[in-house]
Amino acid sequence: MSLKKMTRRDFLKLAGVTSVGAVVAACAPEPTKAPAPTAAPKPTDAPKPTAVPPTAAPKPTDVPKATTAPTAAPKLGATLIGKLEGPTIIRETAQFPKTFKEAPMLADLVKAGKLPEVAKRLPDPADLMVIKPLKETGKYGGNWRRAFTGPADHENGNRINSADKILHFDYTGNKIIPMLAKDWKVSDDGKTITIYLRKGAKWSNGDPFTANDFMFWYEDVYLNKALVTTPFFEFQINGKNGVMKKVDDYTVAYEFPEPYPYFVYILAGSTSMGAGFATRGAFQTNGGSYCPSAYLKQFLPKYSSEDAVNAKAKAAGFDNWVSYFKNRYSWALNPDCPTMTPWRTVSPINTPTWGMERNPYFWQVDTEGNQLPYIDKLTMTLAENTEVANLRAIAGEYDCQERHMGLAKLPVFLENQQKGNYTVHLDPAFNGSDLALHMGNAYEGDAEIAALIKNKDFRHALSMGIDRDQLNEAFWLGVGTPGSTAPAPDTLYSPGPEWNKKWATLDLKQSNDILDKLGYDKKDGEGYRLRKDGKGRLRLEMITVPGSFVPYTPMGEMIKQQWKKIGVDVDIKETERNLAFGKTANNEQQIITWANDGSEMLYLFARHALPVDTAESHMGMAYAKWFASGGTQGKKPEDPEMLRAFDLFRAAMGQKEEDQIKSAKEIWKIIVEQQWSIGVVGQSPAFMGVRIVKNNMGNVPERQVNAQHARTPCTSGPQTFFFKS
Amino acid sequence: MIAYMVRRVLLAILTIWAITILSFLIIQLPPGDFVDTYANTMSAGGTGITEGEKQALREQYGLDQPMYVQYLKWMGLIMQGNFGMAIEWGRPVMDVIGDRLMLTIVISLAAIVFTWALALPIGIYSAVKRYSLLDYVFTFVGFIGLAIPGFMLGLIVMYVGFSYFGANVGGLFSADYAEAPWSMERVWDLIKHLPTPAVVLGVAGTAQMIRIMRSNLLDELRKPYVMTARARGLSETRVIMKYPVRVALNPFISTIGYLLPYVVSGSIIVSMVLSLPTVGPLLLKSLVAQDMFLAGTIVLLLGVLTVIGTLISDLLLMWVDPRIRLGRQ
Amino acid sequence: MTELVIPQDTPTTAAEEKIAVATQWQLMWWRFRKHKLAMLGSLVLIAFYLSVISVDFLAYADPNESDAQRGLIAPQAIEWFDNGEFKPYVHPLKGTRDPKTFKRVYVPDLETKVPVKLFGQGFSYKFLGVIPTDRHLFAVEGADAQTTLFLLGTDVQGRDLWSRLVYGTQTSLTIGLFSVALSLLLGVTLGGMSGYFGGIWDTVIQRIIEILRSLPTIPLWMGLTAALPNDWSVMQVYFAITIIISLIGWTELARVVRGRFLSLRQEDFVMAAQLLGCSKRRIIFRHMVPSFISHIIAATTLALPAMIISETSLSFLGLGLRPPAISWGVLLQDAQNIQALAISPWLLIPVLPVIVAVLAFNFMGDGLRDAADPYG
């Protein structure tokens, strides 16, 4: 008996606590909550165990209604998603500071005569890049602690150090701004894009940064067949190569045989031409559009002899000069490599700690003339297991970390906020779907299934058979946005909010009707539809890839249960990533689960929106090969709508910006209408959008753009972050 | 005796050669190559590389050549004492392994010392005082250790350590010493971090060892020579320690050569969970990344160590058990 | 040394008379019976294997049916008494996600009582695959068990953990048996041959063992799993992996057997058998093997739980059974993260049957080991 009472008392206690929590939540500056505890009657003094505790107030019917009707309650997570903000760039030279200050760490070196004074290290006063920090002028010093998972995780540091991009996007992710280039110009015919460099800017070792660094890259690296075997498609228009020309020491022109105004976006985006020397060097693919010529000459045969550079390589343990050159070209692997980034590597990424230190020649200052960055050092410690990285973040061992932090761990992060002295921010991304069911549109294995996959109505039926709210609740903690693959409504290329819902809401009746109409009205004992060729049940195969930012296999399991209601069976096949991508490359998959990250900037990273990229194309590799080769390889799509999308896509590169945007919207309409890829839940913080920031860090935005093209967190200006204490 | 040794060494070399071929084949079995894995990893991390870049990388690493060419190239390098480059790490393989091999051996030794120090006395006690209360207690506790999967135990120990004792989360060094040069303080820092991995790693082995030791010793204790010894008035300690324990150790010694690879293999999972900088996770990562030279060298290295260990254990066996020694001649 | 049971020659009682005339198997049974933990272990294992054949009876919910609105329910409190009468019941739960903590919060509807029944009615199935019935060990009255009863709570997808555990037990307990049997056969045969015949046999077998054991197991597993045909079902793949494990696992046993053989070869009774002209096979299996059967039993009983553990480890590495299959390893994989430890620790419950089964196998093996040598 006493046990029974205890249990009940515990229930009451628990109920009380949760209701208090809910009341507190409801007092937050937002409309009333769904489980409206304030509306609850005052708990009558309850000696009887059957009395209703406060939280039992919402009637049984209230709860499901509240959770399925998003309009009734503010969106979950709204309190953790702040205002989109960031530092701004001052372009009025009149407002530029006239005197300069530097970090104490560098002042000591200047005193010791090891470094020129700060004014001499900065570019010419008129060519400075001046940043107005988000909130305040920072203090110098400190060590920014982060986690990285190993030498393949160079993007972790690249993204923080992406200030060496030629052009970039501002903190909204929508507007192109100058970076390394102080300005740019597109010629009237759209064939020439000219960039203007900052006079007096210097590499981190003090070497001058000029047009020669661009020409060296173009002539000695890019055109060197040993280093770059295949031309970058981003440096081509309709398969025709562009060329780079030096106008003067501080002016460089990119010239194309056809109009290519979109190249400005290529220079601002995360591409092989625009992502910056540091990033593309770390990728070991010799991209970047410029590189430190004075330093790198010693590793090229042209400037000594092949034997000499090979001998150098052998002495360092490398097979040949090509391998050694790539190694020397990487700022992450080679601490000697000059960079234009806020920090440079001192302890390389292939050791247990990736250590970075401020670049004494960094070419940006704040509005008061303080040379950036504020923070002296960056220390990334190796956590090969992301669970360990997350636990360390919870323990407050990292100062600012958004990479590798799991959305599923959000309750634990929140619970330990005070103990760990940090704040959790959510940065939802703009892409439509973290879970997209990419259909094997070029699949040919099973004739009947292949015909179905190619049938638009069938794809609509599948899409309307998914209960996205369920998936959102279980795997995105209700924080994501259910919908199609289309990007967020406030993005540049969004075809309009109605397209986010199109074909993407649960409608079992319509779905079942379509399938019946397609002739699949016969069912087996368990209610699954039967194939027409008499080979039993209509069963699809879905490949799920483990070890991603979101758990695809359990998501697949849930969809399997949902599709039961439309009588479609699906086998979930968890397949290791290489094997899975191998299958899509051979057009052997019926459905694969993957994200459509990056697709919000349709032209910059189209591979998750349309089958156009042979490096990765889950929506029909044969079509991608056909598109990329200009029709000489692969297979021509039979679907006229896909051909129309291809034509629009190809034409857009040469169009003026307004037309480009118009074309992009049109392409998105086609993509959503056709459902070549079924979007499920997106616009969420699941990919690098759970940000853990220690409370003593200053100038950190409440919300930052979370997108590939923005090189998150680069648009937030990490060089302006600082430690308040 | 010398002829036997020479024969054994020649056979060992043959074995090692067979291991190189097998390990090469095993690593090549999964589809795709390093460049595919690398490109896919980048894609999962939100940035893609192009097809052309992939092809260039493949040529650079020689991955476009047929398998036997790659194998011969690898063999050629090894013959020169060069184990090649760890592609993913951009450092010579030996550099990458070197850092971690020592820590692996330290952890393994700690785990082995923990295991033996606990298992042998308890095993002997359990056999001699069979069915005593303590025998049951040891048996029970030992088996619980055996029954909890290492990965679960590792995570639980780490989480409990963090949330209730404010312990450091994973790793072998505090942040201050991770990159510091070796010093007394750094050694001390390492020693402070050792117990968790040693216990988590050693727990399963301990139970197993207790059981086997107990079984073996029980077998021996029933033999007539024990009774004879006892009848001749030897002290009980001497009766047990002089012969039965020595004989009961025999199966252990025959497997001593496998201890290192066993602990390294067994430590992969625990090292993963606790994020220990050992060879284990390196092997796993290199296999997943299909970093041929790195994975191949680790497998080869462990193979060679095992072969040498077996050699030693055979010799030890002859020394410990005169019956085997005589049988050889 | 009173612990050793040594037959005394004085004074003869009826009981000892019985011992003297008993068969070896009777002696073993008596001996085994004395080992209380072994008896307990055996009973537990019998219960486990009974549950393996009656999963549908034990489970009250579809282990795959998911509903996010039932996600992460903690094990449910059962009210045992209703107004002083023994009438177990549960309250239905209503859940939402707390917008502050982001945890799922469930509130019992205290006005409604759902009686819990033993041997009540639930979904229909065929008991043992033949007898159609709808009786279940646990059932609720006037409601759907799937949506009201959560004995061990639910996982992220709102699937009932008790029912999943029941199905997982079936998989995990059956799948390793074959591989252990295969290792045993290979190990004793090859190890025995190697030790007894010596010479070229010994050299070849030892070389094979050496090569196999010199390779760390994880690359072997990874390589071989990747080489398996991709269109195999998860079960086929796992079955193949258990065979692979046994093909590697026999070496341990073989080496030990060989070591024993080498020393036993010199024993007088073997010599005597040889002099009497016994065939080699007879000497091995009739005389030598029984003399170290205890060691083999000890090794086997340890091998079975090792299989269970390695099943869970393989799942951890992503090489073993994968969802949607359900096994202990798959279930534990769900708990292998910080959020499970911190906010839904009941997901760790599947580790309990693993521990109990491993303990039971070991205790039973222990008793068998002692009993195998009833004259000792």
Side-chain angles (χ1 to χ4, degrees):
Chain A
M1 275 311 273
S2 75
L3 179 80
K4 177 186 159 201
K5 274 183 190 156
M6 269 307 291
T7 324
R8 206 152 271 150
R9 212 172 291 146
D10 279 351
F11 268 141
L12 286 169
K13 250 192 255 164
L14 185 79
V17 168
T18 46
S19 82
V20 168
V23 171
V24 170
C27 293
E30 26 176 287
T32 36
K33 283 278 144 25
T38 40
K42 254 210 135 146
T44 43
D45 220 345
K48 269 185 285 169
T50 43
V52 184
T55 37
K59 288 281 163 296
T61 45
D62 288 349
V63 176
K65 206 197 279 171
T67 47
T68 47
T71 42
K75 203 169 149 51
L76 265 171
T79 48
L80 299 176
I81 303 171
K83 193 177 90 204
L84 191 60
E85 55 186 3
T88 40
I89 289 172
I90 308 293
R91 295 188 70 181
E92 286 294 316
T93 33
Q95 292 178 30
F96 279 16
K98 299 286 179 286
T99 53
F100 306 104
K101 280 160 271 174
E102 63 191 327
M105 170 184 167
L106 297 179
D108 291 348
L109 286 173
V110 174
K111 249 180 241 155
K114 287 180 182 154
L115 208 63
E117 56 184 286
V118 61
K120 295 209 170 123
R121 299 199 306 267
L122 290 168
D124 292 1
D127 276 1
L128 276 168
M129 176 148 166
V130 182
I131 297 185
K132 183 171 177 291
L134 171 62
K135 294 198 175 92
E136 56 196 307
T137 303
K139 277 196 284 190
Y140 281 119
N143 179 13
W144 178 355
R145 299 163 301 163
R146 270 174 80 93
F148 82 117
T149 58
D153 194 22
H154 47 75
E155 273 290 83
N156 199 333
N158 294 345
R159 281 168 169 252
I160 292 176
N161 276 298
S162 282
D164 71 339
K165 291 168 56 44
I166 297 170
L167 302 174
H168 199 19
F169 292 90
D170 72 346
Y171 69 85
T172 64
N174 280 335
K175 199 180 136 220
I176 294 182
I177 54 166
M179 217 54 189
L180 207 46
K182 65 180 175 191
D183 208 350
W184 72 94
K185 201 182 91 191
V186 182
S187 66
D188 290 342
D189 62 0
K191 291 183 182 173
T192 306
I193 289 86
T194 313
I195 57 167
Y196 304 93
L197 303 177
R198 296 172 192 276
K199 278 183 199 145
K202 292 171 190 73
W203 288 92
S204 59
N205 62 351
D207 289 343
F209 172 78
T210 64
N212 294 336
D213 295 311
F214 282 76
M215 293 317 291
F216 172 82
W217 175 82
Y218 178 63
E219 285 163 355
D220 291 341
V221 180
Y222 183 70
L223 293 181
N224 188 332
K225 281 282 161 244
L227 292 172
V228 176
T229 34
T230 324
F232 301 159
F233 75 85
E234 289 132 333
F235 199 12
Q236 296 175 319
I237 177 73
N238 292 330
K240 296 183 193 109
N241 287 323
V243 293
M244 189 193 280
K245 284 188 180 150
K246 175 177 167 177
V247 178
D248 62 41
D249 269 0
Y250 299 102
T251 313
V252 175
Y254 298 89
E255 292 181 6
F256 297 92
E258 287 175 30
Y260 192 14
Y262 191 72
F263 191 69
V264 174
Y265 276 86
I266 298 284
L267 288 179
S270 180
T271 64
S272 53
M273 295 299 287
F277 161 70
T279 298
R280 274 346 254 202
F283 271 91
Q284 306 241 305
T285 52
N286 295 335
S289 213
Y290 67 96
C291 62
S293 56
Y295 170 76
L296 286 171
K297 274 179 184 164
Q298 54 178 314
F299 304 106
L300 280 184
K302 184 176 162 191
Y303 298 93
S304 51
S305 71
E306 183 138 358
D307 288 343
V309 287
N310 271 334
K312 245 184 205 170
K314 287 260 159 46
F318 290 83
D319 283 356
N320 50 48
W321 71 268
V322 176
S323 301
Y324 193 42
F325 183 84
K326 286 193 180 176
N327 177 278
R328 297 291 88 187
Y329 197 92
S330 163
W331 79 290
L333 285 167
N334 175 15
D336 295 332
C337 181
T339 70
M340 295 301 288
T341 54
W343 293 275
R344 58 189 183 84
T345 296
V346 284
S347 161
I349 189 171
N350 54 12
T351 60
T353 309
W354 185 11
M356 290 162 229
E357 214 172 80
R358 61 182 322 121
N359 168 3
Y361 290 91
F362 192 58
W363 38 277
Q364 298 181 356
V365 294
D366 68 14
T367 37
E368 291 179 17
N370 294 302
Q371 188 192 22
L372 295 172
Y374 293 131
I375 294 174
D376 280 342
K377 287 179 179 178
L378 237 150
T379 306
M380 301 211 190
T381 38
L382 185 63
E384 290 180 311
N385 175 356
T386 50
E387 290 298 318
V388 172
N390 278 276
L391 195 51
R392 285 180 181 157
I394 290 165
E397 291 181 24
Y398 302 134
D399 296 306
C400 177
Q401 176 96 29
E402 73 297 321
R403 209 174 163 86
H404 310 302
M405 301 290 104
L407 179 58
K409 294 171 175 59
L410 185 59
V412 196
F413 282 128
L414 290 170
E415 205 169 68
N416 288 279
Q417 267 190 139
Q418 288 193 325
K419 194 174 157 194
N421 194 24
Y422 59 78
T423 306
V424 181
H425 299 276
L426 297 183
D427 305 315
F430 300 124
N431 60 302
S433 216
D434 295 338
L435 164 63
L437 308 183
H438 293 299
M439 307 296 292
N441 298 296
Y443 170 76
E444 278 179 337
D446 178 326
E448 184 166 344
I449 302 285
L452 273 177
I453 291 175
K454 289 189 176 77
N455 187 319
K456 181 173 95 176
D457 296 332
F458 182 69
R459 298 193 297 264
H460 287 166
L462 289 185
S463 184
M464 288 186 292
I466 297 173
D467 187 347
R468 291 167 173 80
D469 289 326
Q470 280 269 326
L471 286 141
N472 188 23
E473 175 61 30
F475 301 109
W476 283 265
L477 314 187
V479 175
T481 305
S484 71
T485 54
D490 49 358
T491 50
L492 207 53
Y493 300 146
S494 166
E498 69 276 18
W499 293 88
N500 292 93
K501 292 282 162 218
K502 187 129 203 226
W503 301 117
T505 30
L506 181 68
D507 190 338
L508 292 178
K509 187 177 174 308
Q510 204 181 342
S511 179
N512 273 314
D513 285 351
I514 292 177
L515 293 168
D516 287 346
K517 238 177 268 163
L518 285 172
Y520 289 92
D521 46 357
K522 290 199 186 60
K523 294 184 182 174
D524 67 7
E526 287 176 60
Y528 287 107
R529 294 169 194 278
L530 293 169
R531 290 169 66 113
K532 283 184 189 165
D533 60 7
K535 286 190 198 147
R537 191 181 278 185
L538 177 64
R539 185 183 279 134
L540 301 170
E541 189 182 285
M542 189 192 291
I543 294 177
T544 59
V545 182
S548 201
F549 284 100
V550 288
Y552 288 129
T553 307
M555 291 175 178
E557 286 180 87
M558 204 173 218
I559 291 176
K560 180 187 168 84
Q561 294 297 314
Q562 297 175 352
W563 279 353
K564 222 177 180 173
K565 297 194 183 101
I566 54 169
V568 175
D569 196 10
V570 57
D571 266 345
I572 306 300
K573 283 243 162 120
E574 184 176 277
T575 310
E576 192 274 320
R577 198 164 60 201
N578 263 8
L579 206 59
F581 281 27
K583 286 198 114 182
T584 60
N586 290 322
N587 306 300
E588 283 169 2
Q589 112 278 11
Q590 297 176 1
I591 305 172
I592 187 171
T593 58
W594 198 246
N596 75 348
D597 55 310
S599 66
E600 70 273 23
M601 288 303 274
L602 181 68
Y603 304 119
L604 276 182
F605 198 71
R607 63 174 65 160
H608 293 149
L610 275 177
V612 288
D613 191 339
T614 52
E616 182 190 321
S617 209
H618 302 313
M619 299 158 68
M621 184 59 89
Y623 302 153
K625 282 189 175 146
W626 182 84
F627 178 84
S629 65
T632 55
Q633 289 166 34
K635 218 177 96 194
K636 184 177 174 181
E638 295 141 28
D639 190 337
E641 285 298 295
M642 191 176 278
L643 290 169
R644 191 160 77 86
F646 280 3
D647 288 343
L648 281 165
F649 186 84
R650 213 188 285 277
M653 295 295 113
Q655 287 166 346
K656 289 254 182 299
E657 191 158 350
E658 318 84 82
D659 296 326
Q660 273 168 14
I661 294 172
K662 218 186 279 168
S663 302
K665 289 181 176 177
E666 187 57 31
I667 294 173
W668 269 118
K669 286 179 192 169
I670 298 175
I671 292 172
V672 173
E673 178 57 33
Q674 294 301 318
Q675 296 284 325
W676 292 311
S677 162
I678 298 173
V680 181
V681 176
Q683 300 174 46
S684 92
F687 284 55
M688 296 178 244
V690 177
R691 193 155 42 104
I692 310 299
V693 183
K694 292 286 268 197
N695 294 331
N696 64 342
M697 265 215 145
N699 284 338
V700 179
E702 278 179 32
R703 178 182 172 187
Q704 67 184 3
V705 166
N706 177 10
Q708 190 185 94
H709 71 277
R711 311 280 308 146
T712 316
C714 185
T715 46
S716 302
Q719 62 270 38
T720 62
F721 294 178
F722 72 103
F723 290 101
K724 294 179 187 164
S725 54
Chain B
M1 192 66 189
I2 289 172
Y4 171 72
M5 295 272 297
V6 170
R7 204 171 65 99
R8 282 300 316 258
V9 171
L10 284 178
L11 279 173
I13 292 171
L14 197 74
T15 312
I16 290 169
W17 178 67
I19 291 172
T20 63
I21 295 185
L22 253 180
S23 51
F24 193 85
L25 281 177
I26 288 167
I27 295 161
Q28 298 281 351
L29 271 180
D33 58 22
F34 173 79
V35 175
D36 286 322
T37 321
Y38 180 72
N40 297 343
T41 310
M42 288 302 120
S43 166
T47 317
I49 62 173
T50 64
E51 187 63 31
E53 288 172 311
K54 273 165 88 172
Q55 194 49 38
L57 286 173
R58 216 163 257 142
E59 278 168 30
Q60 183 198 335
Y61 302 130
L63 297 174
D64 51 339
Q65 288 159 342
M67 209 195 279
Y68 74 94
V69 175
Q70 292 186 45
Y71 174 75
L72 290 178
K73 196 179 145 199
W74 186 46
M75 281 288 95
L77 280 174
I78 290 176
M79 290 299 167
Q80 302 164 30
N82 176 354
F83 290 88
M85 268 287 174
I87 308 180
E88 193 180 2
W89 292 77
R91 284 167 83 190
V93 165
M94 274 333 228
D95 273 15
V96 178
I97 298 177
D99 286 354
R100 296 183 175 229
L101 193 60
M102 204 214 43
L103 292 174
T104 310
I105 291 173
V106 168
I107 293 176
S108 304
L109 282 180
I112 291 167
V113 167
F114 170 83
T115 307
W116 286 56
L118 220 60
L120 292 188
I122 293 177
I124 294 171
Y125 179 90
S126 286
V128 176
K129 306 262 178 186
R130 190 153 64 137
Y131 302 141
S132 66
L133 179 69
L134 272 181
D135 177 24
Y136 281 125
V137 171
F138 285 140
T139 307
F140 196 78
V141 174
F143 277 142
I144 288 194
L146 183 73
I148 301 180
F151 58 91
M152 213 74 241
L153 189 65
L155 189 71
I156 294 172
V157 166
M158 193 165 67
Y159 182 75
V160 169
F162 152 72
S163 42
Y164 298 101
F165 303 103
N168 272 332
V169 181
L172 275 185
F173 296 100
S174 328
D176 297 341
Y177 291 103
E179 276 293 87
W182 281 105
S183 63
M184 281 317 287
E185 289 80 26
R186 191 169 189 242
V187 171
W188 179 237
D189 188 54
L190 174 65
I191 291 171
K192 277 194 294 190
H193 280 78
L194 269 184
T196 313
V199 171
V200 174
L201 266 178
V203 152
T206 307
Q208 193 158 351
M209 206 148 210
I210 292 175
R211 298 328 292 163
I212 295 178
M213 186 67 207
R214 182 177 179 273
S215 303
N216 290 350
L217 194 55
L218 279 177
D219 279 353
E220 288 304 317
L221 285 177
R222 296 198 196 105
K223 296 250 170 86
Y225 74 86
V226 179
M227 245 191 281
T228 315
R230 207 171 269 135
R232 296 181 80 172
L234 264 70
S235 75
E236 194 56 33
T237 323
R238 213 171 146 72
V239 167
I240 295 166
M241 299 307 286
K242 178 85 178 164
Y243 298 106
V245 169
R246 252 176 88 179
V247 178
L249 279 173
N250 179 337
F252 287 124
I253 290 165
S254 75
T255 52
I256 210 168
Y258 298 112
L259 221 51
L260 192 64
Y262 172 78
V263 176
V264 170
S265 263
S267 75
I268 292 182
I269 292 176
V270 172
S271 296
M272 289 272 297
V273 174
L274 296 179
S275 195
L276 304 176
T278 63
V279 172
L282 194 65
L283 173 62
L284 192 66
K285 272 186 92 177
S286 58
L287 283 167
V288 171
Q290 295 187 291
D291 195 337
M292 178 52 226
F293 289 153
L294 183 53
T297 306
I298 296 175
V299 174
L300 181 62
L301 207 66
L302 291 177
V304 171
L305 285 175
T306 315
V307 171
I308 294 170
T310 320
L311 208 73
I312 294 171
S313 80
D314 276 7
L315 298 177
L316 269 179
L317 208 57
M318 282 201 274
W319 173 68
V320 178
D321 195 339
R323 290 172 298 183
I324 297 174
R325 183 164 57 213
L326 292 170
R328 289 266 184 227
Q329 287 163 359
Chain C
M1 284 283 85
T2 45
E3 290 86 352
L4 299 180
V5 182
I6 299 161
Q8 311 280 312
D9 34 0
T10 53
T12 313
T13 63
E16 278 149 8
E17 198 82 34
K18 209 172 138 200
I19 289 171
V21 297
T23 66
Q24 183 165 350
W25 292 109
Q26 272 175 315
L27 284 172
M28 279 167 74
W29 168 238
W30 291 338
R31 188 67 181 266
F32 185 73
R33 222 168 36 182
K34 269 179 64 183
H35 197 311
K36 293 285 177 300
L37 280 175
M39 285 299 287
L40 185 69
S42 315
L43 287 177
V44 168
L45 286 176
I46 289 170
F48 261 125
Y49 278 95
L50 279 178
S51 79
V52 162
I53 56 173
S54 52
V55 279
D56 291 321
F57 170 69
L58 292 173
Y60 53 79
D62 180 341
N64 291 316
E65 194 173 311
S66 52
D67 181 351
Q69 294 303 335
R70 293 199 300 264
L72 293 183
I73 298 176
Q76 201 176 21
I78 293 181
E79 300 286 343
W80 296 100
F81 294 95
D82 192 6
N83 293 327
E85 220 181 312
F86 180 76
K87 236 171 134 188
Y89 66 89
V90 292
H91 295 296
L93 298 173
K94 302 278 178 322
T96 47
R97 191 175 292 281
D98 183 320
K100 267 275 178 205
T101 65
F102 282 85
K103 291 178 191 172
R104 287 207 55 92
V105 184
Y106 290 89
V107 180
D109 170 10
L110 295 185
E111 278 170 286
T112 319
K113 293 174 187 173
V114 179
V116 177
K117 282 257 160 141
L118 286 179
F119 306 106
Q121 284 165 308
F123 64 85
S124 306
Y125 65 98
K126 284 192 177 138
F127 186 67
L128 298 178
V130 257
I131 310 157
T133 173
D134 60 357
R135 295 282 162 184
H136 294 265
L137 182 59
F138 302 106
V140 289
E141 252 174 33
D144 183 5
Q146 183 95 46
T147 56
T148 43
L149 193 59
F150 312 102
L151 292 179
L152 298 182
T154 61
D155 68 3
V156 172
Q157 297 183 55
R159 299 177 299 196
D160 181 63
L161 193 56
W162 164 263
S163 304
R164 288 179 70 73
L165 197 52
V166 168
Y167 283 94
T169 302
Q170 182 181 40
T171 316
S172 291
L173 279 181
T174 44
I175 208 151
L177 286 175
F178 178 74
S179 129
V180 168
L182 194 64
S183 314
L184 192 67
L185 188 74
L186 281 170
V188 174
T189 315
L190 293 173
M193 279 162 73
S194 182
Y196 189 82
F197 295 120
I200 184 78
W201 284 100
D202 190 28
T203 310
V204 170
I205 293 172
Q206 286 310 302
R207 251 5 73 202
I208 296 172
I209 292 178
E210 205 167 323
I211 293 169
L212 280 177
R213 298 209 57 188
S214 305
L215 294 168
T217 41
I218 287 187
L220 268 179
W221 286 342
M222 289 181 77
L224 293 169
T225 342
L228 295 176
N230 192 247
D231 49 357
W232 280 15
S233 71
V234 274
M235 277 302 178
Q236 281 173 308
V237 168
Y238 187 74
F239 196 60
I241 293 175
T242 58
I243 293 176
I244 291 165
I245 295 174
S246 72
L247 289 180
I248 301 164
W250 63 271
T251 57
E252 164 90 39
L253 207 55
R255 262 189 88 84
V256 173
V257 170
R258 170 178 174 264
R260 285 272 155 158
F261 259 105
L262 288 183
S263 43
L264 274 177
R265 213 157 50 159
Q266 311 302 324
E267 294 279 349
D268 293 340
F269 69 91
V270 176
M271 194 89 77
Q274 271 170 337
L275 290 175
L276 283 169
C278 290
S279 73
K280 286 196 165 179
R281 211 166 89 198
R282 189 179 162 82
I283 293 173
I284 293 177
F285 288 104
R286 191 73 201 166
H287 298 280
M288 293 174 79
V289 171
S291 72
F292 56 83
I293 194 112
S294 62
H295 192 98
I296 291 177
I297 290 173
T300 314
T301 49
L302 281 171
L304 261 166
M307 270 307 298
I308 293 172
I309 298 278
S310 57
E311 188 264 320
T312 61
S313 303
L314 279 171
S315 285
F316 171 79
L317 289 170
L319 298 173
L321 276 181
R322 296 172 183 199
I326 309 170
S327 74
W328 286 346
V330 170
L331 292 173
L332 281 181
Q333 190 50 30
D334 282 348
Q336 184 63 23
N337 52 55
I338 299 162
Q339 65 269 32
L341 289 177
I343 58 177
S344 50
W346 58 90
L347 292 181
L348 285 165
I349 289 173
V351 85
L352 294 179
V354 176
I355 293 176
V356 172
V358 170
L359 279 178
F361 269 118
N362 276 299
F363 289 144
M364 190 177 83
D366 228 26
L368 283 175
R369 196 211 75 89
D370 289 353
D373 203 358
Y375 300 105

